[in-house]
Amino acid sequence: MAVQQAPVPNHSDAAEADQDARLSGDPFSRRRFLKATLAAAILPAIPRVGRAAAPPAKRLVAGTRTIEVNGRPAKVFGLTDPSGRPGIRLDPGERFRVDLVNEAGTRTIVHWHGQLPPWTQDGFPWPQTPPIANGAVQSYDYAPTPGTYWMHSHEGMQEQNLMTAPLIVHTAAELGEDRQEVVLMLNDFAFRTPEEVLAGLTGTGATAAQAIATKMEKAPGRTVDAPGMPGMDMSKSGMDMSPPTGVPMDLNDVHYDAFLANDRTLADPEIVRVEHGGRVRLRVINGASSSQFWIDLGDLVGRVVATDGQPVHSRAGSRFPIAMAQRLDVLIDLPERGAFPVLARLEGEGRQTGIVLATAGARIPRIAESAQTAPPVDHSLESWLTAVEPLAARRADVLRTITLDGRMKPYAWSMNGEHWPQVTPLMLDEGQRVEIDLVNRTMMAHPIHLHGHAFQVVAIDGRPMQGAVRDTVIVMPMGRVRIAFDANNPGRWAFHCHNLYHQHTGMVTEFRYRGIAI
Ligand SMILES: [Cu+2]
């Protein structure tokens, strides 16, 4: 089977990168850029032929910036366009043609979360796709999937230091619906370094934590399928996994200094101007490393129309749970005038962050950073969701159980009892329908993410459903979720818990297509 892989030129040569930087600052090259933009603007009338017609690649800088948190300056990473705006927004039909410029002062690699590029452009530190050196430029070119997506570093624990940004791919239908787009990006923030946070969790020193953080790059080697391995044994899938009652569950491993909404706290929230009676498409992105929230619209009623960028049959409500790495598209029709807070409340606690939608002249209320305790994030939304575009009905060719294991003391998490990178890849063939039973044997919820594929939630706790199509699903403590996907993107793909500290203490495995040379 031919593997379609776009070339990824990796200009690791520093001199070449310097030249790139000089060129971009050159007014002559800017004139050329403007000419190219003009050409792109008149393009729709002309049949698309050849590369000459393509618009110039977008420039995305992985760099550092200083933001203010709780009245203190904080140096964090950032992923910004040339105007300093975080992330990337693509027009309908536009390719993801991006030059990622690493000015972060250290190596990095950026993952386009939920997108379905060829595996060599996915931004995971496989041996074949190593991190990008400081000063180097890496180019990407693939057909993007429309919807609300995001990007984050997969290098070490840079994600915790806000190497995260929105990635929005518009559709013609959305642009025609006459709604104001509002992006709400959530992050958790600590003045401690991520290594100090991890050291606090594992009870080790920061140096040991640093060593743990580099393990992500040590991919498993030339291992093959082991059908009889423990934990992947189908005979175990009949065991009773119903949630125990009265057993306490663990929430919020990490105590954070702040929760950010578009980089700001409620002490100084972003005020988004909206029209009287405005119509909004709210794109919520949970970019937090170890925190889950309830989105609280107050008295407003919103309709969830997409989860993880994929359309769902709309579901109305005012409070919606969002797990780590997930996204929600919520349509909101505002009342005539006023100020409307959109809050994100931390599960299990009353701490909150958010933004305010406000019509001109509206009085902006002061919003406290703490409120009533929110319950744990749960499946109250998930269990109601149905996909607008479900997978075709088909029997599974591969059906596997993957157990989620681990505990708080000692702090270590695993899949099938294996800790990354000592894991056995799940081997797949292109064309297979794959079903995975995720069985959580821990007292924490785990938001599980598959790279390079969109999967459908087909059962929760044994109850079959035509659930949402997603890239990240939460598995409740002692709960079970079955997902299904088509193996249609050959390569090496990470499958992991999106809690950064669970990931870095081992809760990662690999789905690998047969025939991929390693
Ligand atoms: Cu986890």
Side-chain angles (χ1 to χ4, degrees), residues 413 444-448 497-499 502-503 507:
W413 305 89
M444 282 205 83
H446 301 283
I448 303 297
C497 178
H498 221 282
N499 182 312
H502 294 190
Q503 185 184 320
M507 202 177 234

Short mmCIF file of all heavy atoms in Angstrom, two decimals, residues 413 444-448 497-499 502-503 507, ligand 1:
data_model
loop_
_atom_site.label_atom_id
_atom_site.label_comp_id
_atom_site.label_asym_id
_atom_site.label_seq_id
_atom_site.Cartn_x
_atom_site.Cartn_y
_atom_site.Cartn_z
N TRP A 413 1.31 6.42 35.77
CA TRP A 413 0.11 6.07 35.01
C TRP A 413 0.53 5.28 33.79
O TRP A 413 1.61 5.48 33.24
CB TRP A 413 -0.66 7.35 34.62
CG TRP A 413 -0.97 8.19 35.83
CD1 TRP A 413 -0.18 9.17 36.37
CD2 TRP A 413 -2.11 8.08 36.69
NE1 TRP A 413 -0.77 9.68 37.50
CE2 TRP A 413 -1.95 9.04 37.72
CE3 TRP A 413 -3.26 7.28 36.69
CZ2 TRP A 413 -2.89 9.22 38.73
CZ3 TRP A 413 -4.19 7.45 37.70
CH2 TRP A 413 -4.01 8.40 38.69
N MET A 444 -9.21 8.16 38.79
CA MET A 444 -9.21 9.45 38.09
C MET A 444 -9.85 9.28 36.72
O MET A 444 -9.79 8.21 36.13
CB MET A 444 -7.78 9.96 37.88
CG MET A 444 -7.16 10.57 39.09
SD MET A 444 -5.85 11.74 38.64
CE MET A 444 -6.80 13.23 38.29
N ALA A 445 -10.42 10.38 36.22
CA ALA A 445 -10.88 10.40 34.83
C ALA A 445 -9.67 10.65 33.93
O ALA A 445 -8.75 11.38 34.31
CB ALA A 445 -11.92 11.49 34.64
N HIS A 446 -9.66 10.04 32.76
CA HIS A 446 -8.55 10.24 31.82
C HIS A 446 -9.09 10.68 30.46
O HIS A 446 -9.86 9.95 29.84
CB HIS A 446 -7.73 8.95 31.67
CG HIS A 446 -7.15 8.47 32.95
ND1 HIS A 446 -6.04 9.04 33.53
CD2 HIS A 446 -7.56 7.50 33.79
CE1 HIS A 446 -5.78 8.42 34.67
NE2 HIS A 446 -6.68 7.48 34.87
N PRO A 447 -8.66 11.85 29.99
CA PRO A 447 -9.03 12.30 28.64
C PRO A 447 -8.08 11.68 27.62
O PRO A 447 -6.91 12.04 27.55
CB PRO A 447 -8.85 13.83 28.71
CG PRO A 447 -7.80 14.03 29.77
CD PRO A 447 -7.88 12.86 30.72
N ILE A 448 -8.58 10.73 26.85
CA ILE A 448 -7.71 9.94 25.97
C ILE A 448 -7.79 10.47 24.54
O ILE A 448 -8.88 10.65 23.99
CB ILE A 448 -8.13 8.44 26.01
CG1 ILE A 448 -8.08 7.92 27.46
CG2 ILE A 448 -7.23 7.62 25.08
CD1 ILE A 448 -6.70 7.92 28.10
N CYS A 497 -3.13 9.68 27.26
CA CYS A 497 -3.91 10.53 28.15
C CYS A 497 -3.42 11.97 27.94
O CYS A 497 -2.22 12.23 27.85
CB CYS A 497 -3.70 10.12 29.60
SG CYS A 497 -4.60 11.20 30.75
N HIS A 498 -4.38 12.91 27.87
CA HIS A 498 -3.98 14.30 27.62
C HIS A 498 -3.72 15.08 28.90
O HIS A 498 -3.44 16.29 28.85
CB HIS A 498 -4.99 15.03 26.74
CG HIS A 498 -4.33 15.90 25.72
ND1 HIS A 498 -3.79 17.13 26.03
CD2 HIS A 498 -4.06 15.69 24.41
CE1 HIS A 498 -3.25 17.64 24.94
NE2 HIS A 498 -3.39 16.79 23.95
N ASN A 499 -3.81 14.42 30.05
CA ASN A 499 -3.29 15.06 31.26
C ASN A 499 -1.77 15.01 31.14
O ASN A 499 -1.17 13.93 31.09
CB ASN A 499 -3.75 14.29 32.50
CG ASN A 499 -3.28 14.94 33.78
OD1 ASN A 499 -2.10 15.28 33.91
ND2 ASN A 499 -4.18 15.10 34.73
N HIS A 502 0.08 12.76 33.53
CA HIS A 502 -0.16 11.34 33.32
C HIS A 502 0.63 10.86 32.11
O HIS A 502 1.23 9.79 32.11
CB HIS A 502 -1.65 11.07 33.08
CG HIS A 502 -2.51 11.37 34.27
ND1 HIS A 502 -3.85 11.02 34.33
CD2 HIS A 502 -2.24 11.99 35.44
CE1 HIS A 502 -4.34 11.42 35.50
NE2 HIS A 502 -3.40 12.02 36.18
N GLN A 503 0.62 11.70 31.07
CA GLN A 503 1.35 11.41 29.84
C GLN A 503 2.84 11.22 30.15
O GLN A 503 3.46 10.27 29.71
CB GLN A 503 1.12 12.59 28.91
CG GLN A 503 1.67 12.51 27.53
CD GLN A 503 1.42 13.83 26.81
OE1 GLN A 503 0.36 14.44 26.94
NE2 GLN A 503 2.39 14.29 26.06
N MET A 507 1.47 7.25 30.57
CA MET A 507 0.17 6.85 29.99
C MET A 507 0.09 7.21 28.50
O MET A 507 -0.71 8.04 28.07
CB MET A 507 -0.96 7.51 30.78
CG MET A 507 -2.29 6.79 30.63
SD MET A 507 -3.55 7.56 31.66
CE MET A 507 -4.11 6.16 32.60
CU CU B 1 -4.78 10.40 32.61
#
